[in-house]
Short mmCIF file of all heavy atoms in Angstrom, two decimals:
data_model
loop_
_atom_site.label_atom_id
_atom_site.label_comp_id
_atom_site.label_asym_id
_atom_site.label_seq_id
_atom_site.Cartn_x
_atom_site.Cartn_y
_atom_site.Cartn_z
N SER A 1 56.63 -12.59 165.29
CA SER A 1 57.73 -13.51 165.02
C SER A 1 57.97 -13.67 163.52
O SER A 1 59.10 -13.86 163.08
CB SER A 1 57.43 -14.88 165.65
OG SER A 1 56.20 -15.40 165.17
N GLY A 2 56.92 -13.63 162.71
CA GLY A 2 57.07 -13.74 161.26
C GLY A 2 56.83 -12.39 160.61
O GLY A 2 55.73 -11.85 160.69
N LYS A 3 57.83 -11.83 159.95
CA LYS A 3 57.71 -10.49 159.39
C LYS A 3 57.11 -10.54 157.99
O LYS A 3 57.67 -11.11 157.07
CB LYS A 3 59.09 -9.82 159.32
CG LYS A 3 59.79 -9.72 160.67
CD LYS A 3 59.00 -8.85 161.64
CE LYS A 3 59.72 -8.73 162.97
NZ LYS A 3 58.91 -8.01 163.96
N HIS A 4 55.93 -9.99 157.88
CA HIS A 4 55.34 -9.83 156.55
C HIS A 4 54.44 -8.60 156.55
O HIS A 4 53.32 -8.62 156.11
CB HIS A 4 54.54 -11.07 156.15
CG HIS A 4 53.46 -11.46 157.11
ND1 HIS A 4 53.70 -12.17 158.23
CD2 HIS A 4 52.12 -11.22 157.10
CE1 HIS A 4 52.57 -12.37 158.89
NE2 HIS A 4 51.60 -11.79 158.22
N GLY A 5 54.97 -7.52 157.07
CA GLY A 5 54.21 -6.28 157.20
C GLY A 5 54.05 -5.57 155.88
O GLY A 5 54.53 -6.02 154.82
N ALA A 6 53.35 -4.44 155.94
CA ALA A 6 53.10 -3.65 154.74
C ALA A 6 52.96 -2.19 155.14
O ALA A 6 52.58 -1.87 156.27
CB ALA A 6 51.84 -4.12 154.04
N THR A 7 53.28 -1.31 154.20
CA THR A 7 53.07 0.12 154.39
C THR A 7 52.03 0.58 153.37
O THR A 7 52.23 0.42 152.17
CB THR A 7 54.37 0.91 154.20
OG1 THR A 7 55.33 0.49 155.19
CG2 THR A 7 54.13 2.39 154.35
N HIS A 8 50.92 1.08 153.85
CA HIS A 8 49.86 1.57 152.98
C HIS A 8 50.02 3.07 152.78
O HIS A 8 50.03 3.83 153.76
CB HIS A 8 48.49 1.26 153.59
CG HIS A 8 48.23 -0.19 153.80
ND1 HIS A 8 47.32 -0.67 154.72
CD2 HIS A 8 48.78 -1.29 153.22
CE1 HIS A 8 47.31 -1.99 154.68
NE2 HIS A 8 48.19 -2.39 153.78
N LEU A 9 50.13 3.49 151.54
CA LEU A 9 50.35 4.90 151.22
C LEU A 9 49.10 5.58 150.66
O LEU A 9 49.06 6.81 150.56
CB LEU A 9 51.48 5.03 150.20
CG LEU A 9 52.84 4.48 150.65
CD1 LEU A 9 53.86 4.58 149.52
CD2 LEU A 9 53.33 5.21 151.89
N ALA A 10 48.10 4.77 150.29
CA ALA A 10 46.89 5.33 149.71
C ALA A 10 45.76 4.32 149.90
O ALA A 10 46.00 3.13 150.15
CB ALA A 10 47.07 5.63 148.22
N VAL A 11 44.53 4.79 149.78
CA VAL A 11 43.41 3.87 149.86
C VAL A 11 43.51 2.88 148.72
O VAL A 11 43.86 3.23 147.58
CB VAL A 11 42.07 4.66 149.82
CG1 VAL A 11 41.92 5.43 148.52
CG2 VAL A 11 40.90 3.74 150.04
N SER A 12 43.26 1.61 149.01
CA SER A 12 43.43 0.56 148.01
C SER A 12 42.25 0.51 147.05
O SER A 12 41.09 0.55 147.48
CB SER A 12 43.59 -0.80 148.69
OG SER A 12 43.62 -1.85 147.73
N ALA A 13 42.55 0.37 145.75
CA ALA A 13 41.49 0.22 144.74
C ALA A 13 41.07 -1.23 144.57
O ALA A 13 40.08 -1.51 143.87
CB ALA A 13 41.96 0.78 143.40
N ASP A 14 41.79 -2.15 145.19
CA ASP A 14 41.46 -3.57 145.09
C ASP A 14 40.08 -3.83 145.70
O ASP A 14 39.84 -3.53 146.86
CB ASP A 14 42.53 -4.39 145.84
CG ASP A 14 42.32 -5.88 145.70
OD1 ASP A 14 41.46 -6.33 144.91
OD2 ASP A 14 43.03 -6.64 146.40
N GLY A 15 39.17 -4.37 144.90
CA GLY A 15 37.83 -4.67 145.38
C GLY A 15 36.93 -3.46 145.49
O GLY A 15 35.87 -3.54 146.14
N ARG A 16 37.30 -2.37 144.87
CA ARG A 16 36.50 -1.15 144.97
C ARG A 16 35.07 -1.40 144.48
O ARG A 16 34.85 -2.03 143.44
CB ARG A 16 37.12 -0.03 144.16
CG ARG A 16 36.47 1.32 144.41
CD ARG A 16 37.16 2.44 143.67
NE ARG A 16 36.70 3.74 144.14
CZ ARG A 16 37.11 4.91 143.64
NH1 ARG A 16 38.00 4.92 142.65
NH2 ARG A 16 36.65 6.05 144.13
N GLY A 17 34.11 -0.90 145.22
CA GLY A 17 32.71 -1.09 144.88
C GLY A 17 32.07 -2.29 145.55
O GLY A 17 30.90 -2.59 145.28
N THR A 18 32.81 -2.99 146.42
CA THR A 18 32.25 -4.14 147.12
C THR A 18 30.98 -3.72 147.86
O THR A 18 30.96 -2.73 148.60
CB THR A 18 33.26 -4.72 148.12
OG1 THR A 18 34.38 -5.24 147.41
CG2 THR A 18 32.63 -5.83 148.95
N GLU A 19 29.92 -4.49 147.66
CA GLU A 19 28.64 -4.20 148.31
C GLU A 19 28.42 -5.15 149.48
O GLU A 19 28.64 -6.36 149.36
CB GLU A 19 27.49 -4.34 147.30
CG GLU A 19 27.53 -3.32 146.18
CD GLU A 19 26.37 -3.46 145.22
OE1 GLU A 19 25.85 -4.59 145.08
OE2 GLU A 19 25.99 -2.46 144.59
N ARG A 20 28.00 -4.60 150.58
CA ARG A 20 27.64 -5.41 151.75
C ARG A 20 26.35 -4.82 152.35
O ARG A 20 26.13 -3.61 152.29
CB ARG A 20 28.76 -5.41 152.78
CG ARG A 20 30.00 -6.16 152.31
CD ARG A 20 31.05 -6.26 153.41
NE ARG A 20 32.25 -6.91 152.96
CZ ARG A 20 32.48 -8.22 152.97
NH1 ARG A 20 31.54 -9.03 153.44
NH2 ARG A 20 33.61 -8.73 152.54
N PRO A 21 25.53 -5.68 152.96
CA PRO A 21 24.19 -5.22 153.38
C PRO A 21 24.18 -4.54 154.74
O PRO A 21 23.59 -5.03 155.70
CB PRO A 21 23.40 -6.54 153.42
CG PRO A 21 24.43 -7.56 153.83
CD PRO A 21 25.70 -7.14 153.16
N CYS A 22 24.83 -3.39 154.83
CA CYS A 22 24.85 -2.69 156.12
C CYS A 22 24.38 -1.25 156.02
O CYS A 22 24.19 -0.60 157.05
CB CYS A 22 26.27 -2.70 156.70
SG CYS A 22 27.50 -1.83 155.70
N TRP A 23 24.17 -0.75 154.83
CA TRP A 23 24.05 0.70 154.67
C TRP A 23 22.69 1.24 155.05
O TRP A 23 22.58 2.38 155.52
CB TRP A 23 24.49 1.10 153.26
CG TRP A 23 25.93 0.72 153.08
CD1 TRP A 23 26.42 -0.38 152.43
CD2 TRP A 23 27.06 1.37 153.67
NE1 TRP A 23 27.79 -0.44 152.55
CE2 TRP A 23 28.21 0.63 153.32
CE3 TRP A 23 27.22 2.51 154.46
CZ2 TRP A 23 29.50 0.98 153.71
CZ3 TRP A 23 28.50 2.88 154.85
CH2 TRP A 23 29.61 2.11 154.48
N ASP A 24 21.61 0.48 154.87
CA ASP A 24 20.33 0.93 155.38
C ASP A 24 20.32 0.93 156.90
O ASP A 24 19.72 1.81 157.54
CB ASP A 24 19.18 0.07 154.84
CG ASP A 24 18.37 0.78 153.78
OD1 ASP A 24 18.26 2.02 153.85
OD2 ASP A 24 17.83 0.12 152.88
#
């Protein structure tokens, strides 16, 4: 009902390098 879509054309650099404890 509320239009606020987006088109992603490339991987986003925003927040690049974010670490989360899942990789082990």
Side-chain angles (χ1 to χ4, degrees):
S1 57
K3 302 298 181 186
H4 56 279
T7 298
H8 300 157
L9 300 176
V11 62
S12 174
D14 184 8
R16 189 176 192 182
T18 295
E19 295 181 333
R20 292 185 183 272
C22 63
W23 298 100
D24 254 329

